[in-house]
Amino acid sequence: MSDTQLIDLFLDMMAAERGASKNTLDAYRRDLEDMSMRLSSRGRSFMSASTGDIEACLAEMAREGLSASTTARRLSATRRLFRFLLAEGRRADDPARSMSGPKRGRPLPKVMSEADVDALFAAAEALEGVRGARARALLEILYAGGLRVTELVTLSLNAVTRAQSTLHVTGKGGKERLVPLTPPAMEAIRDWLTVRENSLPKGNPSAMTRAQRFLFPSSSAAEGHLTREQFARILKDIAAAAGLDPKKISPHVLRHAFATHLLANGADLRSVQTLLGHADISTTQIYTHVLEERLKTLVETAHPLAKR
């Protein structure tokens, strides 16, 4: 069986048994196809590769200057594939079992200041019509709830509760959570709902049916909803209008801002974990640098000995 067929089988399993999202599956495919290409250049395949072959591929990545995180991710995908092949009885061994990826430091998330966020919202307020209403609703929901960009653009129309005070969000692995909304976010959603129909596709019943289900429909996207890429462009345009560097502003940076600003203003880590939809608190702990800075400031300003 060819590597392409093995990758397809593995991805089918990930989708059916693990509930992996399309974005996750696409990422796995890219990493596994890259590894397959490297093995093929050595006359090897996933069925015939040895530990030495995989190590040679990793060394090649290092020589090419690939980052430690990229190399580690590709090894992780390869290890998962070999575990699958072993479990399915297609291989009698797992050549990647004892391998560990390159050590990598976990980078701190890029953080926007509260002043930067205020500037971003001020620029969105200046937008008029349907475009402005949509931009403000997107920004308010993202910053008020800390959603992942995929969670945001795929929100269903009925994700907003009747009182419009919370959102039903479907996260990774199909896990659902309730996200409370701020009064400005609730107002922005109400304003958007009054003009939302103007963004629905016209003259195409099937496209209309697809788009009708989403809070942020799209008349151009095949998926029926605003795409991640479309929202990223909207955000960069607003950032430029706000006088911010568009290269430093992304949906994920706003998610980081949500978490760091909550912590800086007194929220506890466990609550932020719940709001972000992290399965493991260790993922949320990347934001503890904010807590550390707050505690340092507290000691410097409030401790009696600090005044001596």
Side-chain angles (χ1 to χ4, degrees), residues 120 139 229-251 253:
L120 202 65
L139 286 181
E229 294 75 19
Q230 286 172 333
F231 176 53
R233 286 195 295 272
I234 291 171
L235 189 56
K236 289 187 183 298
D237 287 344
I238 297 173
L244 303 174
D245 185 351
K247 294 179 181 178
K248 296 181 179 179
I249 308 298
S250 71
V253 169

Side-chain angles (χ1 to χ4, degrees), residues 15 52 85 87 132 164 197-198 208 223 232 237 261 285 295:
L85 296 179
Q164 294 185 359
E197 287 193 6
N198 292 309
M208 171 70 85
E223 299 90 339
D237 287 344
H261 296 169
Q285 284 172 339
L295 291 173

Side-chain angles (χ1 to χ4, degrees), residues 151-303:
E151 294 170 347
L152 175 66
V153 297
T154 59
L155 280 171
S156 65
L157 183 58
N158 59 14
V160 186
T161 61
R162 185 172 300 175
Q164 294 185 359
S165 60
T166 57
L167 281 177
H168 288 274
V169 178
T170 302
K172 287 185 175 181
K175 293 181 180 178
E176 296 185 353
R177 68 184 189 277
L178 276 179
V179 174
L181 293 172
T182 61
M186 292 159 57
E187 182 181 355
I189 291 173
R190 284 194 294 269
D191 290 344
W192 165 241
L193 290 176
T194 63
V195 297
R196 171 183 166 276
E197 287 193 6
N198 292 309
S199 66
L200 290 168
K202 306 294 190 296
N204 187 331
S206 61
M208 171 70 85
T209 300
R210 280 196 304 274
Q212 191 69 258
R213 298 184 295 113
F214 298 104
L215 180 59
F216 297 105
S218 172
S219 58
S220 59
E223 299 90 339
H225 59 75
L226 190 73
T227 66
R228 292 154 48 102
E229 294 75 19
Q230 286 172 333
F231 176 53
R233 286 195 295 272
I234 291 171
L235 189 56
K236 289 187 183 298
D237 287 344
I238 297 173
L244 303 174
D245 185 351
K247 294 179 181 178
K248 296 181 179 179
I249 308 298
S250 71
H252 208 62
V253 169
L254 260 183
R255 175 171 157 88
H256 289 322
F258 160 81
T260 53
H261 296 169
L262 275 179
L263 289 168
N265 286 282
D268 65 275
L269 202 61
R270 185 68 69 177
S271 297
V272 174
Q273 174 197 359
T274 301
L275 291 169
L276 289 172
H278 286 161
D280 192 328
I281 198 168
S282 64
T283 308
T284 320
Q285 284 172 339
I286 193 171
Y287 297 105
T288 53
H289 71 288
V290 177
L291 288 175
E292 291 164 2
E293 286 297 318
R294 182 158 58 88
L295 291 173
K296 180 181 176 182
T297 302
L298 180 65
V299 170
E300 290 176 347
T301 57
H303 197 288

